[in-house]
Amino acid sequence: VKPVIQRGHESLVHHILLYQCSSNFSDSVLDHGHECYHPNMPDAFLTCETVIFAWAIGGEGFSYPPHVGLSLGTPLDPHYVLLEVHYDNPTYKEGLIDNSGLRLFHTTDIRKYDAGVIEAGLWVSLFHTIPPGLPDFRSEGHCTLECLEEALEVEKPSGIHVFAVLLHAHLAGRGIRLRHFRKGEEMRLLAYDDDFDFNFQEFQYLKEERTILPGGLSTRNEMCLSYLLYYPRINLTRCASIPDIMEQLQFIGVKEIYRPV
């Protein structure tokens, strides 16, 4: 997968996300593009949640290893995709028309394993708050034992193999770590970036593939967003958590809540 950025727009196109969508789209929503998360965006687009590929400014293309590939053409594969482009236009230039996108290279030589993507970490929601005025603050998201067991034990009790990771945050992010636990013991870090830069994000190839088994920390143990490329593919696209809003309110000094909120 290779970014194709329109010449002269290198500083305007900040990042591109390619999502897999539900396969039950109607022809009425396939006519043209829409403004993301705007009232005129069809509800069907909300099913486009599984990230297939992500590119950000400063990144280059990505090639799957020789034994793994993104499967195309079977009933389990993407029938529809959504391309989401984020622009950075601080000088408010008007009248710009952009034709940037992604170029996918494919082969008829079937790879041994089908790749999948799991989004792990902190669920994207308004409950992810960062208190003001602190010198630093750590946000945590968990892919819990219960979630992994449900997905893995049915299909792949021998585990899955992670071969690349994309770490993602926004402008407040200063460092991200993807930690790995098994039977209560912390393993070697899966991926980390202690000098995170929003303007330089791309998939990190792991030097050694890492096996994820159906076991780890429970919901109440500790483990801001990461995308794990792995094989063989299982029926799991997101494994994340949401902070406890009541604990957050207590942390910032809220003593009492009047209903309705």
Side-chain angles (χ1 to χ4, degrees):
V1 186
K2 180 181 179 181
V4 182
I5 309 302
Q6 182 171 326
R7 184 169 296 179
H9 289 193
E10 290 81 4
S11 63
L12 295 171
V13 183
H14 193 273
H15 60 284
I16 300 175
L17 294 164
L18 186 66
Y19 297 91
Q20 176 176 341
C21 302
S22 168
S23 59
N24 57 356
F25 270 25
S26 64
D27 293 339
S28 62
V29 303
L30 300 174
D31 51 353
H32 53 79
H34 296 270
E35 188 175 345
C36 290
Y37 314 117
H38 189 271
N40 71 5
M41 187 183 84
D43 289 343
F45 283 14
L46 297 173
T47 69
C48 307
E49 293 188 298
T50 303
V51 172
I52 299 175
F53 185 76
W55 171 87
I57 190 168
E60 298 180 355
F62 179 84
S63 296
Y64 286 86
H67 58 302
V68 186
L70 173 66
S71 178
L72 299 172
T74 79
L76 294 176
D77 299 334
H79 288 207
Y80 302 101
V81 295
L82 183 144
L83 187 75
E84 180 178 312
V85 184
H86 293 233
Y87 295 100
D88 186 15
N89 185 13
T91 59
Y92 297 100
K93 291 181 182 178
E94 296 185 0
L96 295 171
I97 299 176
D98 182 64
N99 290 293
S100 301
L102 299 172
R103 179 171 289 135
L104 276 69
F105 297 85
H106 62 92
T107 176
T108 55
D109 296 330
I110 303 299
R111 301 285 173 88
K112 185 175 182 180
Y113 299 105
D114 291 343
V117 180
I118 295 177
E119 177 186 316
L122 204 57
W123 194 284
V124 179
S125 75
L126 296 175
F127 293 151
H128 181 193
T129 58
I130 300 173
L134 294 181
D136 59 76
F137 182 78
R138 185 171 68 183
S139 298
E140 293 186 358
H142 307 261
C143 177
T144 64
L145 166 66
E146 294 86 349
C147 185
L148 273 179
E149 278 187 337
E150 184 176 341
L152 276 171
E153 288 194 341
V154 173
E155 302 180 63
K156 302 291 179 186
S158 58
I160 56 175
H161 305 280
V162 178
F163 61 89
V165 173
L166 173 70
L167 301 172
H168 175 67
H170 284 185
L171 294 174
R174 291 295 177 266
I176 309 177
R177 293 189 163 211
L178 180 58
R179 301 168 69 190
H180 180 198
F181 294 83
R182 182 178 295 162
K183 294 181 180 179
E185 297 291 326
E186 183 163 11
M187 316 288 283
R188 195 166 76 252
L189 281 171
L190 269 169
Y192 69 94
D193 186 345
D194 290 339
D195 296 292
F196 180 79
D197 186 343
F198 185 58
N199 292 308
F200 187 78
Q201 304 179 52
E202 62 179 345
F203 278 100
Q204 303 177 21
Y205 296 95
L206 303 189
K207 292 180 180 179
E208 299 176 7
E209 293 180 357
R210 301 285 295 279
T211 302
I212 307 295
L213 298 174
L217 296 181
S218 71
T219 306
R220 297 189 178 278
N221 294 120
E222 301 303 336
M223 215 175 134
C224 266
L225 196 58
S226 58
Y227 295 96
L228 287 71
L229 273 173
Y230 71 92
Y231 70 89
R233 182 173 57 182
I234 60 173
N235 188 26
L236 176 67
T237 60
R238 181 178 289 163
C239 185
S241 59
I242 299 177
D244 187 312
I245 187 63
M246 298 309 296
E247 286 189 3
Q248 289 185 328
L249 292 173
Q250 291 171 8
F251 179 82
I252 61 176
V254 174
K255 299 289 193 302
E256 191 171 352
I257 299 174
Y258 296 92
R259 304 290 180 178
V261 174

